[in-house]
Amino acid sequence: GVASLPHSSSNAVSARRYAHEAVRLARPFLLTCRTSPDSSPWQIANAQSLTGAALTAAAAVDSEANLSTRLDYLAAAERLLLDGQAGLAGTADVPGRFVGKFRREAIERLIRLYQAWDLLTPGAACSAQAAQWKSRLEAFDLSSASPTAAPHL
C-alpha cells in the first residue's frame, strides 16, 4: 500500500509530487459531484472516497510536511473515506458492474488510511481500526463470493 512505499530520494520526490497532484485534481472533482444536479449518490460517495484516498497518499508520502499537516490531511481523509464508504454501501444506485469493485475499494482505502496513520502516530489505536476494516473486507469478500447478495458493509 501507499504507507509502505519504498523511499529512495527520487521515489520520494515523485511520490510526493503525484500525491499532491491527486489531491489537486480530486478536490474540484468532489466539488463538481456534490454540486451537479446530474450526480447520483453513488458518484458523490465514490468521489468522497477517491478524494480521501488522495489525501491519505499525500499524508503518507510527504515526509517534508510537518506532522501536524500530515495528521490534518489524515483527519480530513478519514471523514471523506467513512462518508464515501457508507454512501457506497448504503445506496442501491451503483451500476451493477461496478458495485462490488467500488464497495471493496472504499474499504481498502480505509485500511490504507489507518495503516498510514499508525505509521505516523504509533499507539494511537489506528492499527486496531485497520484490523477492524480488514475484517470487514474479509466479510465482504466472503459474501461477494457466495451465491446470495452481498450485505451492505
Side-chain angles (χ1 to χ4, degrees):
V2 170
S4 61
L5 184 70
H7 292 276
S8 73
S9 62
S10 64
N11 281 350
V13 169
S14 292
R16 194 168 39 253
R17 184 177 70 243
Y18 290 132
H20 285 287
E21 181 68 6
V23 171
R24 188 185 72 74
L25 295 171
R27 284 181 170 156
F29 172 64
L30 175 57
L31 180 62
T32 299
C33 286
R34 283 180 169 163
T35 58
S36 172
D38 297 327
S39 293
S40 65
W42 78 265
Q43 290 170 319
I44 296 167
N46 197 51
Q48 288 172 311
S49 184
L50 291 168
T51 304
L55 288 165
T56 299
V61 301
D62 193 354
S63 58
E64 291 184 0
N66 66 47
L67 181 60
S68 176
T69 298
R70 295 171 83 181
L71 294 176
D72 287 347
Y73 270 24
L74 292 175
E78 182 181 39
R79 183 75 272 144
L80 289 166
L81 290 167
L82 289 170
D83 289 349
Q85 188 279 329
L88 286 166
T91 186
D93 71 337
V94 182
R97 67 181 187 269
F98 298 122
V99 68
K101 176 183 185 306
F102 286 178
R103 288 178 177 165
R104 186 177 205 290
E105 288 173 349
I107 297 170
E108 289 173 334
R109 291 176 186 129
L110 280 158
I111 294 167
R112 284 193 295 273
L113 165 78
Y114 293 120
Q115 288 172 334
W117 214 325
D118 188 54
L119 288 174
L120 292 176
T121 57
C126 294
S127 61
Q129 288 173 296
Q132 288 173 351
W133 283 103
K134 283 181 184 178
S135 293
R136 288 184 76 171
L137 182 62
E138 290 170 9
F140 178 83
D141 288 344
L142 286 173
S143 67
S144 296
S146 75
T148 59
H152 294 252
L153 298 176

